[in-house]
Each structure stands twice: as C-alpha cells, then as structure tokens.
Amino acid sequence: MTQLPKILMPGEGEAVQIGTTTQTTFKAVGDWTENRFGLFEHRMDAGAPGASPHIHKEQLEAFYVLDGVVELHLDGKTFDAPKGTFVNVPENMSHGFRNPYDERATMLIFFTPAINREEYFRGLAELYADGRRATEDELLDLMTRYDQYELSMDGSVPGWGRH
C-alpha cells in the first residue's frame, strides 16, 4: 500500500458525537497511515464522564491537552492535565480520562498501531445515539472487539463514569 498525502483543515475530518457531551473528530486513521498511527481530536463538554480506567493490550495511546483541563488516570494515579500536557501510555498500562470541570476541554489522542481504532469511537457514538444508554454487555462487547479492557468489568471504578 502506498501512503498518499492528506490535508485536513480546521474543522475537517469525520466527526462522531458520543452521547451529549463528547465529540471525536478523526484527523488520521489507520487506512491513511498504513496502520502506523491514528490521531483524533477529542472534545469534552464540562462534566463529560469520559473513559473509565482501562488498558490496551496491543496499542500505545498518548494524549496532548489543547484546551481546558482534563482529569487523567495513569497507572493508579489521578491528576489534572492542563493545556500543554502530554501523556504517553504504554501497552497494558491503566489509563482513563474525563472532564469533571466547568469548562470544555479538548485533547488530541494518538494511537499506534491504529488498526480500526476509529471503529471503537463510531461504535460508542451508535451505542449512545439519540439519548440511548448502552447496556454493560453492549459496552464490554465493543471494548473487547477493539482492544480495550476495563480495570473493573462492572464499571464501578470509584468516581469514574460512562459517556
């Protein structure tokens, strides 16, 4: 496969709405990069529950906060990540994020390799479309299909919610 140049201007890229509080825009997906990396712009409104602590067995994930403050969980510790914070998450290391604050937060999420990671976010958007709440079984099935494994399989990590 030959990589082709691609330019996305501000506001461009496929965007998915996850529930009422979160929007993810795909800036680079595996099909464009020979699965070398993916890059998503992730916007969370004030109070967005985000992703409960989880691991990826086959992917490195990294975050770069563009605006606002994101609360991040990394390897058992929780901390505030203001604008300009970069966090690298190796495979099999617990991590999660949310926005419990009063202002919107935006961050870039990087994945490598990027095999089908956008499908996970599309699946989340579908599970939470039109005010719907995903069942625990639906959510866990989606996670397992796309290399995401929660620390607590019942979603009961204290203080952390769901989209």
Side-chain angles (χ1 to χ4, degrees):
M1 176 175 164
T2 301
Q3 291 185 49
L4 300 174
K6 188 156 191 89
I7 297 171
L8 292 180
M9 300 304 285
E12 293 184 337
E14 177 189 348
V16 294
Q17 182 69 37
I18 303 168
T20 59
T21 61
T22 304
Q23 183 182 60
T24 302
T25 302
F26 308 138
K27 294 297 187 176
V29 296
D31 282 350
W32 306 345
T33 66
E34 294 181 340
N35 295 320
R36 292 180 179 156
F37 79 96
L39 175 63
F40 301 167
E41 183 178 358
H42 193 75
R43 291 188 177 142
M44 296 180 288
D45 290 343
S52 297
H54 61 278
I55 64 166
H56 302 290
K57 295 179 180 179
E58 299 176 10
Q59 292 180 316
L60 175 146
E61 185 171 7
F63 306 99
Y64 183 81
V65 180
L66 295 172
D67 288 305
V69 178
V70 176
E71 186 176 77
L72 285 165
H73 165 90
L74 182 66
D75 198 24
K77 297 178 182 143
T78 299
F79 61 97
D80 289 348
K83 178 180 177 177
T85 301
F86 174 78
V87 177
N88 185 64
V89 184
E91 296 163 343
N92 294 304
M93 181 171 283
S94 67
H95 61 286
F97 55 84
R98 65 181 179 167
N99 180 10
Y101 307 107
D102 292 332
E103 295 182 18
R104 172 185 268 182
T106 303
M107 65 181 174
L108 296 176
I109 305 175
F110 303 82
F111 297 99
T112 185
I115 301 169
N116 294 324
R117 192 62 187 159
E118 65 278 6
E119 294 302 328
Y120 173 73
F121 286 83
R122 286 182 185 128
L124 279 178
E126 184 177 315
L127 288 177
Y128 289 95
D130 301 321
R132 185 176 181 279
R133 296 283 303 166
T135 68
E136 198 67 17
D137 287 342
E138 289 173 322
L139 193 54
L140 292 174
D141 176 62
L142 178 69
M143 289 177 180
T144 302
R145 282 186 281 141
Y146 297 105
D147 186 40
Q148 185 157 322
Y149 305 90
E150 284 211 328
L151 296 185
S152 173
M153 294 306 284
D154 65 2
S156 64
V157 177
W160 290 80
R162 303 286 191 162
H163 294 281

